[in-house]
Amino acid sequence: THIWESAFSGTPLASVVLPNSVTYIAEGAFQNTNLTDVYYKGTKEEWDAIYISSAENAPLTSATIHYNYNG
């Protein structure tokens, strides 16, 4: 349910699949990545309910979110 601080920081990650069980994304979890696409298994409303620490999560907040992903 949580993605902790610096979990993917500094990796060449360009895309990620996130389950709808995620409720918290800590500061810097996606810092210094190449993240462009997030495939989220939940709805936009569920995504909007996730606590995302904005500090140092710019790649996550600027990525394209693909809702209801079933892959």
Side-chain angles (χ1 to χ4, degrees), residues 20 22-25 40 43-52 67:
N20 62 343
V22 172
T23 59
Y24 178 87
I25 300 175
Y40 181 61
T43 64
K44 181 181 184 323
E45 292 77 20
E46 290 172 311
W47 176 262
D48 291 341
I50 297 172
Y51 175 81
I52 300 173
Y67 305 105

Side-chain angles (χ1 to χ4, degrees), residues 11-16 30 32-38 58-64:
T11 68
L13 184 71
S15 67
V16 64
F30 293 92
N32 298 319
T33 65
N34 297 321
L35 191 65
T36 57
D37 293 281
V38 175
L60 178 63
T61 57
S62 64
T64 300

